[in-house]
Amino acid sequence: NRNRNRNRNRNRNRNQNQNRNRPDDYGPPSSSRRKPAAARHRRVRQASVDLAEARKEGKRCYYATTCSGLEEALKGELEGPDIRATDVTIGASGCYFTGDLMTGYRALLWLRSSNRLMELIGETDSYHIKGSSSLLSFCYDACDWSSIFTRNEAGEYPSLRVDCTLGPGSVEVCNLDNSHYTGLTLKNAVLDALRDRDGDGDGGRPDINLSDPDIPLFLHVDRERAKIYRVLNSVTMHKRGYRAQEDTDEPFHRAPLRESLAAGLLLTSNATLTATGGEPAVYADPMCGSGTLCIEGALIACNAAPGLIRLAPPDGGQVSSEDLRQWSACARWPDADLDALKEAVDEAVAKDLRGRESHGDVHFFASDIDPDSVALGERSARLAGVGHLCSFQVQNCSEVDVSPEATAEKFLSRPRKLYVISNPPWDQRIRDAEAAWQILGTTLKKNAQKYEEGGTAWLLSGNPEITRNLRMRADRRTPVKAGGVDLRWLKYAIFPTKPEDSEDHL
């Protein structure tokens, strides 16, 4: 009996270790999965920048948000030559970094995978949040609100909006469970500080503007710590300006892929996207929808700053101060430096390759069975200034032909490899999703095997059951969370067809 129990325990431990280190069909090994919420929280607190130390060095502290899983791509953007941020540290669904005012302006223009860019203006040090009253006292003393909210020539305060998020430990430690009312605490603290400065309190107060505030504030509370930010962008940064929105009379796609998510996925794939100086590269999306992946890829290839699309500076001219104020909230701050912002815009315009003639190094082929979606994609590519790099076609996935012979007219030399980037239908509510993935797998192999170096496919999915219909094994899985949905950015390698043995080798 003793030997039987010893063997049973040994087999049980062996099976547990094998299951722990074996990746499943839809995720990374369990050893690399996310840590519990408490452990993640401790890691993020240690990664945060020190506001006091940064101010001693004459720097500003910033935080850029992104989708969970795209932090490495965001860090690469911040450390790149276009933004040149310092002290870049990965946080929870975002990155901390430091720099001067010009660094913030460049980040506002160049960040592709970020949704919100904020400047840290106050944080708890030795002060611990225990409830709403202590939070109100902290917000009141967090910074000099009179220097942030300065009256204009007409004697009016800039408008205000407060957003708030609560961390997992805010309920159990601080007894704060409602982000709306917690955000009102910051608003009340700002109004109390301005009222006390004005004396009798009859000097007016900032108006609340939810759509386009002059000074958007953001409060984050987790456990006993709180941070106050002011947001640089007026609207979320994924709204580039080339796609119609729901509040307009123009036709729009009802379920589009967010531009920031699409750009972050492309940056995560480490694909070489360049419009000049590289080997010919064929990028295809056989289920393009409104073409977000192809458009964002073309913008990366042209080195076009996303912020320039909505700003739309005139050709050969400089943007006006009024245009900058309408474009972003940070241009309406009392301490805004419009000359520095104009310099950042001119720098981005000088690097933009969209207006230059294409040298046939990269091209994007997008197709979809829905003609309305294809029409929206063509319109968006044209408004984004990359219509010459994107070819749209109404076509069934089974009929897509992106072989070297079919794409030769777009290149000066024969391309050697195919790249497929797509967001196929994976929602269980969509009919025939399984059949669509089967057809996609056949199309991938049929086209990629005709290239000398084969092909690479990057596919987005939120359903592990449907991806099995592709009948291919993923080489890499990048977990991403967007809109409360767990997604995977899956990489598949497709090898070229082996040449038949000749008679000399028989």
Side-chain angles (χ1 to χ4, degrees):
N1 292 334
R2 188 183 302 111
N3 292 334
R4 186 183 302 111
N5 293 333
R6 185 186 299 114
N7 292 334
R8 185 185 299 113
N9 293 333
R10 185 184 298 114
N11 292 333
R12 184 187 300 113
N13 293 335
R14 184 186 299 114
N15 293 334
Q16 289 178 354
N17 292 333
Q18 290 176 354
N19 293 333
R20 185 182 298 114
N21 296 322
R22 181 176 62 242
D24 53 25
D25 292 338
Y26 193 54
S30 58
S31 59
S32 63
R33 286 175 182 162
R34 289 173 64 89
K35 299 179 181 179
R40 292 201 311 269
H41 186 79
R42 289 193 297 270
R43 174 178 60 83
V44 171
R45 281 212 305 264
Q46 295 172 358
S48 177
V49 295
D50 192 328
L51 179 60
E53 291 296 330
R55 286 178 173 174
K56 288 180 182 179
E57 300 176 2
K59 297 181 180 180
R60 300 183 181 219
C61 298
Y62 297 95
Y63 187 74
T65 66
T66 187
C67 296
S68 177
L70 300 180
E71 294 89 352
E72 288 290 346
L74 177 60
K75 182 181 179 182
E77 288 189 86
L78 292 170
E79 294 176 338
D82 296 323
I83 300 178
R84 304 187 292 277
T86 57
D87 304 323
V88 182
T89 308
I90 293 179
S93 300
C95 289
Y96 299 93
F97 65 99
T98 60
D100 55 8
L101 185 62
M102 193 70 172
T103 304
Y105 290 156
R106 287 196 294 262
L108 185 63
L109 284 165
W110 284 99
L111 282 180
R112 305 180 188 275
S113 59
S114 179
N115 297 316
R116 179 182 286 161
L117 178 61
M118 306 180 291
E119 179 190 356
L120 181 64
I121 58 177
E123 65 175 342
T124 54
D125 186 10
S126 59
Y127 198 90
H128 298 292
I129 306 300
K130 296 296 184 181
S132 58
S133 60
S134 59
L135 178 62
L136 179 64
S137 300
F138 158 70
C139 294
Y140 185 92
D141 300 325
C143 58
D144 184 10
W145 294 112
S146 60
S147 62
I148 296 178
F149 289 86
T150 305
R151 298 176 184 270
N152 57 18
E153 297 178 356
E156 299 175 347
Y157 281 112
S159 59
L160 166 69
R161 185 188 70 200
V162 177
D163 295 314
C164 176
T165 58
L166 300 176
S170 59
V171 177
E172 57 184 81
V173 178
C174 306
N175 197 24
L176 301 172
D177 57 356
N178 190 299
S179 60
H180 174 70
Y181 290 109
T182 304
L184 291 179
T185 303
L186 174 57
K187 189 257 306 183
N188 294 334
V190 173
L191 297 183
D192 291 345
L194 297 178
R195 179 197 59 197
D196 295 343
R197 185 197 65 175
D198 293 338
D200 297 335
D202 56 353
R205 51 176 284 177
D207 293 331
I208 304 299
N209 188 336
L210 300 179
S211 60
D212 187 19
D214 297 325
I215 303 181
L217 297 179
F218 187 88
L219 173 65
H220 177 72
V221 182
D222 196 359
R223 295 184 180 271
E224 298 180 347
R225 315 200 92 187
K227 294 184 178 182
I228 301 176
Y229 303 86
R230 58 175 178 175
V231 185
L232 279 75
N233 51 291
S234 299
V235 298
T236 178
M237 295 170 65
H238 82 272
K239 296 182 178 180
R240 310 284 199 237
Y242 61 75
R243 190 161 62 187
Q245 304 298 325
E246 297 184 17
D247 54 353
T248 63
D249 296 333
E250 300 175 355
F252 62 92
H253 198 281
R254 292 190 175 276
L257 186 67
R258 271 198 173 193
E259 295 91 330
S260 56
L261 175 58
L265 294 175
L266 292 173
L267 295 174
T268 302
S269 63
N270 296 326
T272 303
L273 292 165
T274 176
T276 57
E279 293 185 359
V282 178
Y283 288 85
D285 187 352
M287 299 179 179
C288 67
S290 57
T292 307
L293 281 169
C294 289
I295 295 174
E296 288 297 322
L299 290 174
I300 296 175
C302 292
N303 197 34
L308 290 180
I309 302 176
R310 193 164 57 87
L311 181 59
D315 295 337
Q318 194 176 53
V319 294
S320 63
S321 300
E322 185 61 28
D323 292 337
L324 293 175
R325 294 189 183 97
Q326 295 179 1
W327 171 66
S328 180
C330 65
R332 303 193 290 267
W333 293 354
D335 58 343
D337 188 347
L338 296 184
D339 292 335
L341 184 54
K342 291 178 182 179
E343 181 181 349
V345 172
D346 294 340
E347 179 183 313
V349 171
K351 296 181 179 180
D352 194 349
L353 302 178
R354 286 179 297 171
R356 305 181 187 182
E357 183 180 358
S358 174
H359 294 276
D361 296 319
V362 63
H363 199 84
F364 295 83
F365 297 88
S367 59
D368 198 275
I369 197 173
D370 183 16
D372 295 334
S373 298
V374 172
L376 290 175
E378 289 180 330
R379 176 183 178 276
S380 299
R382 185 173 61 255
L383 293 178
V386 293
H388 61 292
L389 293 179
C390 300
S391 298
F392 288 85
Q393 188 174 6
V394 180
Q395 199 172 33
N396 195 309
C397 180
S398 60
E399 303 172 354
V400 171
D401 184 8
V402 286
S403 60
E405 294 76 14
T407 60
E409 62 178 8
K410 299 293 184 180
F411 301 94
L412 299 179
S413 59
R414 181 184 176 91
R416 304 179 61 183
K417 190 172 182 178
L418 172 67
Y419 298 90
V420 177
I421 49 175
S422 186
N423 177 25
W426 48 262
D427 198 318
Q428 296 179 351
R429 296 169 296 180
I430 300 177
R431 294 184 303 172
D432 300 331
E434 295 85 354
W437 279 79
Q438 292 179 1
I439 297 174
L440 177 61
T442 303
T443 302
L444 292 178
K445 299 172 185 177
K446 178 184 65 175
N447 288 275
Q449 290 177 351
K450 298 179 181 180
Y451 286 82
E452 296 180 19
E453 299 181 3
T456 300
W458 287 90
L459 308 177
L460 184 64
S461 174
N463 188 345
E465 300 297 331
I466 290 183
T467 57
R468 296 174 183 175
N469 294 277
L470 197 65
R471 297 181 180 179
M472 298 173 62
R473 185 177 181 84
D475 295 339
R476 177 179 168 186
R477 305 171 181 86
T478 303
V480 180
K481 189 169 185 178
V485 181
D486 290 325
L487 306 173
R488 295 294 185 274
W489 186 232
L490 305 171
K491 177 185 178 182
Y492 298 92
I494 309 168
F495 299 99
T497 303
K498 294 182 179 180
E500 297 181 359
D501 295 335
S502 60
E503 295 181 357
D504 297 336
H505 294 84
L506 292 178

PDB file of all heavy atoms in Angstrom, residues 66-81:
ATOM      1  N   THR A  66      -3.706  52.439 -22.960  1.00  0.00           N
ATOM      2  CA  THR A  66      -3.874  51.591 -24.128  1.00  0.00           C
ATOM      3  C   THR A  66      -4.656  50.359 -23.716  1.00  0.00           C
ATOM      4  O   THR A  66      -5.017  50.200 -22.537  1.00  0.00           O
ATOM      5  CB  THR A  66      -2.505  51.189 -24.719  1.00  0.00           C
ATOM      6  OG1 THR A  66      -2.695  50.494 -25.949  1.00  0.00           O
ATOM      7  CG2 THR A  66      -1.748  50.288 -23.765  1.00  0.00           C
ATOM      8  N   CYS A  67      -4.925  49.480 -24.645  1.00  0.00           N
ATOM      9  CA  CYS A  67      -5.605  48.224 -24.324  1.00  0.00           C
ATOM     10  C   CYS A  67      -4.643  47.297 -23.589  1.00  0.00           C
ATOM     11  O   CYS A  67      -3.435  47.282 -23.860  1.00  0.00           O
ATOM     12  CB  CYS A  67      -6.112  47.549 -25.602  1.00  0.00           C
ATOM     13  SG  CYS A  67      -7.361  48.480 -26.493  1.00  0.00           S
ATOM     14  N   SER A  68      -5.183  46.529 -22.668  1.00  0.00           N
ATOM     15  CA  SER A  68      -4.362  45.581 -21.939  1.00  0.00           C
ATOM     16  C   SER A  68      -3.768  44.556 -22.899  1.00  0.00           C
ATOM     17  O   SER A  68      -4.484  43.925 -23.677  1.00  0.00           O
ATOM     18  CB  SER A  68      -5.209  44.870 -20.875  1.00  0.00           C
ATOM     19  OG  SER A  68      -4.453  43.896 -20.196  1.00  0.00           O
ATOM     20  N   GLY A  69      -2.454  44.427 -22.862  1.00  0.00           N
ATOM     21  CA  GLY A  69      -1.742  43.535 -23.770  1.00  0.00           C
ATOM     22  C   GLY A  69      -0.922  44.267 -24.811  1.00  0.00           C
ATOM     23  O   GLY A  69      -0.065  43.656 -25.467  1.00  0.00           O
ATOM     24  N   LEU A  70      -1.163  45.576 -24.967  1.00  0.00           N
ATOM     25  CA  LEU A  70      -0.434  46.367 -25.961  1.00  0.00           C
ATOM     26  C   LEU A  70       0.564  47.313 -25.311  1.00  0.00           C
ATOM     27  O   LEU A  70       1.025  48.262 -25.953  1.00  0.00           O
ATOM     28  CB  LEU A  70      -1.417  47.167 -26.827  1.00  0.00           C
ATOM     29  CG  LEU A  70      -2.446  46.361 -27.614  1.00  0.00           C
ATOM     30  CD1 LEU A  70      -3.339  47.293 -28.419  1.00  0.00           C
ATOM     31  CD2 LEU A  70      -1.768  45.353 -28.531  1.00  0.00           C
ATOM     32  N   GLU A  71       0.896  47.080 -24.043  1.00  0.00           N
ATOM     33  CA  GLU A  71       1.795  47.992 -23.341  1.00  0.00           C
ATOM     34  C   GLU A  71       3.191  48.013 -23.950  1.00  0.00           C
ATOM     35  O   GLU A  71       3.825  49.077 -24.018  1.00  0.00           O
ATOM     36  CB  GLU A  71       1.884  47.602 -21.860  1.00  0.00           C
ATOM     37  CG  GLU A  71       0.587  47.769 -21.079  1.00  0.00           C
ATOM     38  CD  GLU A  71      -0.294  46.545 -21.122  1.00  0.00           C
ATOM     39  OE1 GLU A  71       0.038  45.609 -21.892  1.00  0.00           O
ATOM     40  OE2 GLU A  71      -1.303  46.500 -20.403  1.00  0.00           O
ATOM     41  N   GLU A  72       3.681  46.864 -24.396  1.00  0.00           N
ATOM     42  CA  GLU A  72       5.019  46.830 -24.998  1.00  0.00           C
ATOM     43  C   GLU A  72       5.070  47.637 -26.291  1.00  0.00           C
ATOM     44  O   GLU A  72       6.056  48.326 -26.572  1.00  0.00           O
ATOM     45  CB  GLU A  72       5.439  45.383 -25.256  1.00  0.00           C
ATOM     46  CG  GLU A  72       5.780  44.588 -24.009  1.00  0.00           C
ATOM     47  CD  GLU A  72       7.068  45.048 -23.343  1.00  0.00           C
ATOM     48  OE1 GLU A  72       7.828  45.802 -23.997  1.00  0.00           O
ATOM     49  OE2 GLU A  72       7.312  44.651 -22.196  1.00  0.00           O
ATOM     50  N   ALA A  73       4.018  47.541 -27.082  1.00  0.00           N
ATOM     51  CA  ALA A  73       3.965  48.339 -28.318  1.00  0.00           C
ATOM     52  C   ALA A  73       3.933  49.825 -27.996  1.00  0.00           C
ATOM     53  O   ALA A  73       4.592  50.637 -28.663  1.00  0.00           O
ATOM     54  CB  ALA A  73       2.746  47.935 -29.148  1.00  0.00           C
ATOM     55  N   LEU A  74       3.172  50.209 -26.972  1.00  0.00           N
ATOM     56  CA  LEU A  74       3.111  51.615 -26.561  1.00  0.00           C
ATOM     57  C   LEU A  74       4.468  52.092 -26.054  1.00  0.00           C
ATOM     58  O   LEU A  74       4.892  53.211 -26.355  1.00  0.00           O
ATOM     59  CB  LEU A  74       2.036  51.782 -25.491  1.00  0.00           C
ATOM     60  CG  LEU A  74       1.868  53.181 -24.893  1.00  0.00           C
ATOM     61  CD1 LEU A  74       1.498  54.183 -25.973  1.00  0.00           C
ATOM     62  CD2 LEU A  74       0.820  53.171 -23.791  1.00  0.00           C
ATOM     63  N   LYS A  75       5.144  51.252 -25.295  1.00  0.00           N
ATOM     64  CA  LYS A  75       6.473  51.626 -24.793  1.00  0.00           C
ATOM     65  C   LYS A  75       7.443  51.850 -25.950  1.00  0.00           C
ATOM     66  O   LYS A  75       8.255  52.784 -25.928  1.00  0.00           O
ATOM     67  CB  LYS A  75       6.996  50.529 -23.867  1.00  0.00           C
ATOM     68  CG  LYS A  75       8.359  50.842 -23.262  1.00  0.00           C
ATOM     69  CD  LYS A  75       8.844  49.712 -22.376  1.00  0.00           C
ATOM     70  CE  LYS A  75      10.224  50.028 -21.803  1.00  0.00           C
ATOM     71  NZ  LYS A  75      10.742  48.921 -20.966  1.00  0.00           N
ATOM     72  N   GLY A  76       7.372  50.992 -26.966  1.00  0.00           N
ATOM     73  CA  GLY A  76       8.233  51.180 -28.125  1.00  0.00           C
ATOM     74  C   GLY A  76       7.963  52.495 -28.843  1.00  0.00           C
ATOM     75  O   GLY A  76       8.900  53.146 -29.332  1.00  0.00           O
ATOM     76  N   GLU A  77       6.706  52.888 -28.914  1.00  0.00           N
ATOM     77  CA  GLU A  77       6.384  54.181 -29.522  1.00  0.00           C
ATOM     78  C   GLU A  77       6.974  55.334 -28.732  1.00  0.00           C
ATOM     79  O   GLU A  77       7.536  56.279 -29.299  1.00  0.00           O
ATOM     80  CB  GLU A  77       4.871  54.346 -29.609  1.00  0.00           C
ATOM     81  CG  GLU A  77       4.170  53.488 -30.628  1.00  0.00           C
ATOM     82  CD  GLU A  77       2.715  53.887 -30.781  1.00  0.00           C
ATOM     83  OE1 GLU A  77       2.427  54.796 -31.574  1.00  0.00           O
ATOM     84  OE2 GLU A  77       1.854  53.306 -30.081  1.00  0.00           O
ATOM     85  N   LEU A  78       6.832  55.289 -27.415  1.00  0.00           N
ATOM     86  CA  LEU A  78       7.295  56.392 -26.574  1.00  0.00           C
ATOM     87  C   LEU A  78       8.816  56.524 -26.620  1.00  0.00           C
ATOM     88  O   LEU A  78       9.345  57.639 -26.585  1.00  0.00           O
ATOM     89  CB  LEU A  78       6.822  56.186 -25.138  1.00  0.00           C
ATOM     90  CG  LEU A  78       5.308  56.301 -24.913  1.00  0.00           C
ATOM     91  CD1 LEU A  78       4.930  55.843 -23.518  1.00  0.00           C
ATOM     92  CD2 LEU A  78       4.845  57.733 -25.132  1.00  0.00           C
ATOM     93  N   GLU A  79       9.510  55.412 -26.686  1.00  0.00           N
ATOM     94  CA  GLU A  79      10.974  55.454 -26.705  1.00  0.00           C
ATOM     95  C   GLU A  79      11.533  55.684 -28.098  1.00  0.00           C
ATOM     96  O   GLU A  79      12.752  55.836 -28.245  1.00  0.00           O
ATOM     97  CB  GLU A  79      11.534  54.143 -26.142  1.00  0.00           C
ATOM     98  CG  GLU A  79      11.226  53.925 -24.666  1.00  0.00           C
ATOM     99  CD  GLU A  79      11.714  52.580 -24.165  1.00  0.00           C
ATOM    100  OE1 GLU A  79      11.908  51.669 -25.008  1.00  0.00           O
ATOM    101  OE2 GLU A  79      11.894  52.436 -22.947  1.00  0.00           O
ATOM    102  N   GLY A  80      10.690  55.718 -29.109  1.00  0.00           N
ATOM    103  CA  GLY A  80      11.137  55.868 -30.480  1.00  0.00           C
ATOM    104  C   GLY A  80      11.633  57.264 -30.788  1.00  0.00           C
ATOM    105  O   GLY A  80      11.527  58.199 -29.990  1.00  0.00           O
ATOM    106  N   PRO A  81      12.149  57.460 -32.007  1.00  0.00           N
ATOM    107  CA  PRO A  81      12.734  58.760 -32.375  1.00  0.00           C
ATOM    108  C   PRO A  81      11.717  59.866 -32.576  1.00  0.00           C
ATOM    109  O   PRO A  81      12.104  61.037 -32.589  1.00  0.00           O
ATOM    110  CB  PRO A  81      13.468  58.439 -33.687  1.00  0.00           C
ATOM    111  CG  PRO A  81      12.730  57.259 -34.254  1.00  0.00           C
ATOM    112  CD  PRO A  81      12.277  56.456 -33.084  1.00  0.00           C
TER     113      PRO A  81
END
